Amino acid sequence: MYRILTDEDISKTLTMKHAINAIELSLKAKNEGKLIAPPRFSVGLKNGSLIFTVGADTKNSNAIGFRVYDSFESDSPDRTQLVAVFDSRSGAFRGIVMGVLIGALRTAAINALAIRYMARSDAKCLGVLGSGLQARTHARAAAVVRNFERASVYSPTDKNRQAFARELNDKTGIPTRALSSAKDVVREADVLICATNSRKPVLDAGWLRPGTHINTIGPKIKGANELPIEVARKSNYIVTDSLQQVDEYKSYSTPFFLHDTPERRRMVELDELVVGKSIGRSSSDELTLFCSVGLAGTEIILADEALQQLE
């Protein structure tokens, strides 16, 4: 017997803390070679593509499966994402998760772990650029791993950033202000989440305070990157969730924005920090940067967690 879950089911079943703990275990499994997480691939047509990620956890959940989503420019109400889960020992089909929430949760959980292992322990101010689903989910996840005293947000539409501020305050208890410029947010942030869809840099590297930790979730390809390359150049430590995925961009017409730079050669993977093989931040005034590119297999792990919770 298998189940079909929706965003409503996921919201009732998986807490943010639960998601973060599950992803932390998967990163430890990755470091042991027990998380299979190849780069994503796509099947393209004239009007768009279907994009697939596949993966398996052979240590914690014995789950294997795939996720598929599309890049079509369409307003069809039937567009959605799909995660299918199988048992990695028997091949038995466990179930399907449909909707956008599972992907947002796993990305937020990975980025929260980057904050846990890279940001200063005394970080007090959370800054957010962006006010969509990814920005909202990532801010809530950040609040799980650090005790922020205040937060601020900027996005171009005042109505959206005001709504974001109210929601974050209501859901986390963190006093949150909607500010009228990205510069004002960046200049006061100890931890900065960039979760925009901008194909141009949304900040100036000179705005960053010493000791800031930055997560970039939005576009990260050459000529279409929400962060200026200068931020990477100024960063003392640069981390990603998947170097395989970073390097997969070599085969695209638009490679990763740090491709063929000294900054790419300095990048390390998050699982190295989680298990203590890399030190990460060594002083309170260092800039640290996490480039979120998508670690395959992690959506399957969260989907399996939700399916098991409802058994």
Side-chain angles (χ1 to χ4, degrees), residues 142-154:
V144 174
V145 298
R146 282 290 186 276
N147 294 317
F148 294 106
E149 294 180 352
R150 62 192 186 281
S152 60
V153 59
Y154 171 77

Side-chain angles (χ1 to χ4, degrees), residues 172-216:
T172 67
I174 301 173
T176 306
R177 297 182 300 154
L179 301 184
S180 59
S181 75
K183 184 176 183 179
D184 290 340
V185 170
V186 174
R187 292 184 73 171
E188 67 175 27
D190 298 314
V191 172
L192 179 66
I193 294 173
C194 298
T196 76
N197 58 9
S198 176
R199 298 171 67 84
K200 296 180 180 180
V202 294
L203 61 90
D204 187 297
W207 300 346
L208 292 161
R209 299 169 57 188
T212 303
H213 171 72
I214 308 106
N215 280 6
T216 173

Side-chain angles (χ1 to χ4, degrees), residues 9 30 38 41 44 46 63 136 140 155 189 204 208 213 220 223 281 309:
D9 298 314
K30 178 179 181 296
F41 64 94
K46 181 179 180 180
R136 299 196 309 271
R140 287 171 49 209
S155 67
D204 187 297
L208 292 161
H213 171 72
K220 286 178 288 296
R281 176 182 294 274
Q309 289 287 322

Side-chain angles (χ1 to χ4, degrees), residues 148-175:
F148 294 106
E149 294 180 352
R150 62 192 186 281
S152 60
V153 59
Y154 171 77
S155 67
T157 303
D158 180 63
K159 180 181 177 181
N160 292 344
R161 61 180 181 258
Q162 294 290 347
F164 177 101
R166 289 192 298 270
E167 179 180 316
L168 186 60
N169 184 80
D170 291 345
K171 289 186 178 296
T172 67
I174 301 173

Side-chain angles (χ1 to χ4, degrees), residues 14 28 75 101 113 220-221 236 242-243 288 291:
L14 283 181
K28 291 177 180 178
D75 58 1
L101 188 54
L113 288 165
K220 286 178 288 296
I221 58 176
N236 299 87
S242 174
L243 286 174
T288 55
C291 297

